[in-house]
């Protein structure tokens, strides 16, 4: 799958809720393929500093223009910049798509989908809901926010609730006198494990047969997952979108008392070597030592290789590469799909070599 980089412009912005907008991109007429629920990485220069952030695609794959939804975050450099200055941005560097917050392949059409969201966690879920809205699959959404004014995609969710097999429940923790949201049930008060379990039992006749998608703030995710576990839902039927994951520690089983050599093939702009090579790339091969306990990314950066990296926790997908030979163990993966992994794609920040025959191809262009 081609992940760019792409250079897009912002076509328009749409106000969604309090301090939240959807940015619709112009891809310059180029097709951009992704699965509903995936995300992209944006890179911009803000205040002289190059900064990258990940944003879920809120548009369905069938939409003519991909879109993300941005909620203002206090002291959030990128979110505030996008909301306040989107009209001034000429181009944005985009890489992706990434993420495995997607429907399992070959999921039977009769399988019900249950979505548990909070705040801006509705963004990838909204992409899936719109993608699935043309079918007959039954879907259920519990969306937690502070007030009715904080509900993102309020109108769109109302339309889906009125015209599809989607049941929507809005839980508002700090709003007891707001107007009703059409085609939705509204509950006032904070969520608890008991409330979540009650709502699920009322909405989903066969809890053990459904698939569950969880995306929201860390504390709310933990609450949803706790409720699902107490209901006996198998972990294999729960798909969670995780942000800001801590870096994984290298487990003892791969902390061997030896150094492995890894061959990394990477690319540079050929014009830095010869003017005749302008607009071309040259492939460079570097053999680097990976010390016990180090990831391949850590070793490569120590050797001065100009590899892309951002989160260092297996979340953003920026450091993806392909392992063409040898054995590698990936410690955490929140960015690559099962198909990506079968295609021998890895995240360098989470990968450790298991032998001396590892060769990695890195796409820098």
């Amino acid at each position: 799958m081609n992940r760019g980089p792409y250079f897009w412009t912002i076509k328009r912005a749409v106000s969604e809720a309090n301090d939240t907008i959807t940015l619709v991109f112009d891809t310059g007429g180029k097709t951009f393929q992704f699965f509903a629920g995936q995300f992209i990485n944006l890179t911009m220069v803000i205040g002289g500093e190059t900064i990258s952030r990940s944003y879920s695609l809120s548009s369905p794959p069938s939409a003519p223009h991909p879109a993300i939804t941005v909620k203002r975050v206090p002291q959030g450099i990128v979110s505030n910049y996008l909301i306040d200055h989107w009209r001034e941005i000429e181009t944005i560097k985009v890489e992706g798509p990434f993420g495995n917050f997607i429907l399992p392949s070959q999921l039977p059409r009769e399988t019900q989908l249950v979505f548990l969201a909070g705040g801006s966690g509705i963004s990838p879920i909204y992409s899936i809901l719109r993608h699935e809205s043309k079918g007959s699959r039954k879907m259920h959404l519990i969306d937690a926010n502070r007030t009715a004014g904080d509900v993102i995609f309020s109108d769109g969710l109302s339309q889906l609730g009125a015209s599809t097999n989607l049941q929507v429940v809005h839980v508002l923790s700090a709003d007891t006198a707001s107007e009703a949201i059409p085609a939705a049930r509204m509950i006032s008060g904070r969520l608890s494990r008991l409330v979540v379990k009650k709502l699920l039992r009322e909405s989903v006749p066969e809890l053990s047969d459904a698939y569950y998608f969880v995306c929201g703030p860390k504390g709310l995710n933990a609450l949803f997952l706790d409720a699902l576990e107490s209901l006996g839902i198998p972990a294999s039927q729960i798909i969670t979108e995780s942000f800001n994951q801590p870096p994984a520690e290298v487990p003892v089983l791969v902390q061997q008392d030896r150094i492995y050599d890894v061959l990394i093939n990477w690319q540079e702009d050929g014009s830095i070597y010869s003017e005749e090579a302008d607009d071309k790339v040259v492939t460079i091969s570097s053999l680097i030592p990976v010390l016990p306990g180090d990831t391949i990314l850590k070793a490569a950066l120590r050797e001065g290789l100009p590899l892309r990296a951002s989160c260092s926790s297996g979340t953003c997908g920026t450091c993806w590469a392909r392992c063409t030979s040898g054995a590698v163990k990936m410690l955490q993966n929140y960015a690559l799909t099962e198909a990506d992994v079968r295609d021998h794609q890895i995240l360098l920040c989470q990968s450790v070599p298991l032998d001396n025959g590892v060769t990695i191809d890195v796409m820098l262009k």
Side-chain angles (χ1 to χ4, degrees):
M1 178 182 290
N2 183 14
R3 292 197 170 96
Y6 307 97
F7 294 90
W8 294 351
T9 59
I10 298 176
K11 185 178 180 67
R12 65 179 182 275
V14 180
S15 178
E16 298 289 359
N18 295 337
D19 288 331
T20 304
I21 64 172
T22 289
L23 296 177
V24 181
F25 293 106
D26 185 344
T27 64
K30 296 182 179 179
T31 301
F32 179 72
Q33 296 180 326
F34 64 95
F35 294 111
Q38 290 192 298
F39 65 87
I40 55 177
N41 292 330
L42 307 185
T43 301
M44 293 167 288
V45 177
I46 303 175
E49 181 182 0
T50 300
I51 302 177
S52 297
R53 291 291 188 274
S54 301
Y55 284 95
S56 295
L57 290 150
S58 53
S59 55
S62 59
H65 301 283
I68 62 172
T69 300
V70 182
K71 182 177 179 61
R72 190 186 298 276
V73 178
Q75 286 77 52
I77 296 175
V78 176
S79 66
N80 284 279
Y81 184 80
L82 287 171
I83 291 175
D84 294 336
H85 302 284
W86 67 267
R87 293 180 180 85
E88 307 159 23
I89 299 174
E90 294 184 359
T91 59
I92 294 180
K93 180 182 178 181
V94 177
E95 294 173 283
F98 297 104
N100 47 28
F101 190 70
I102 60 177
L103 264 66
S105 59
Q106 300 180 343
L107 190 67
R109 294 301 306 176
E110 64 272 15
T111 303
Q112 296 189 48
L113 303 180
V114 180
F115 301 92
L116 306 175
S120 59
I122 189 65
S123 291
I125 288 175
Y126 191 54
S127 174
I128 300 173
L129 290 175
R130 293 174 68 188
H131 180 65
E132 291 292 309
S133 65
K134 297 178 181 179
S136 58
R137 189 191 301 277
K138 291 185 178 180
M139 301 181 291
H140 311 270
L141 168 65
I142 300 176
D143 188 22
N145 291 278
R146 292 189 70 255
T147 70
D150 295 313
V151 176
I152 302 173
F153 312 125
S154 175
D155 290 343
L157 290 173
S158 295
Q159 292 173 11
L160 288 174
S163 60
T164 69
N165 292 319
L166 171 66
Q167 294 182 352
V168 181
V169 178
H170 291 293
V171 182
L172 307 178
S173 62
D175 197 339
T176 59
S178 64
E179 295 183 3
I181 299 176
R185 177 183 175 189
M186 296 181 63
I187 297 176
S188 297
R190 298 185 64 85
L191 277 176
S192 66
R193 183 174 72 169
L194 291 178
V195 172
V196 174
K197 292 172 65 174
K198 179 176 181 293
L199 290 173
L200 289 175
R201 287 194 175 111
E202 291 175 351
S203 302
V204 188
E206 300 294 335
L207 288 169
S208 61
D209 295 335
Y211 267 73
Y212 299 81
F213 290 76
V214 179
C215 187
K218 182 178 180 180
L220 190 58
N221 275 10
L223 172 63
F224 285 141
L225 293 174
D226 184 33
L228 293 175
E229 181 181 4
S230 69
L231 288 170
I233 306 301
S236 60
Q237 293 170 218
I238 303 173
I239 303 171
T240 306
E241 182 69 297
S242 303
F243 300 104
N244 301 320
Q245 291 292 326
E249 295 183 1
V250 180
V252 175
L253 65 92
V254 296
Q255 290 184 340
Q256 304 180 29
D257 294 329
R258 61 174 299 179
I259 298 174
Y260 286 121
D261 290 330
V262 172
L263 182 66
I264 297 184
N265 300 317
W266 50 285
Q267 297 174 330
E268 274 193 349
D269 184 350
S271 62
I272 67 176
Y273 299 102
S274 170
E275 292 184 359
E276 297 179 356
D278 192 27
D279 294 329
K280 297 180 180 180
V281 295
V282 295
T283 300
I284 301 173
S285 297
S286 299
L287 188 66
I288 65 168
V290 181
L291 305 179
D294 279 357
T295 63
I296 295 175
L297 177 65
K298 182 177 180 180
L301 295 179
R302 184 175 56 239
E303 294 295 316
L305 273 63
L307 305 187
R308 301 172 300 185
S310 182
C311 72
S312 296
S313 61
T315 301
C316 73
T318 301
C319 64
W320 77 280
R322 181 172 282 106
C323 180
T324 59
S325 67
V328 165
K329 179 175 179 62
M330 192 157 49
L331 308 176
Q332 290 187 154
N333 170 32
Y334 300 101
L336 302 177
T337 65
E338 293 180 1
D340 293 334
V341 175
R342 289 194 299 269
D343 190 39
H344 306 291
Q345 296 179 37
I346 62 173
L347 301 172
L348 296 178
C349 73
Q350 296 299 308
S351 297
V352 293
L354 300 180
D355 58 46
N356 266 322
V358 174
T359 300
I360 305 294
D361 285 349
V362 179
M363 307 299 178
L364 293 184
K365 299 295 290 181

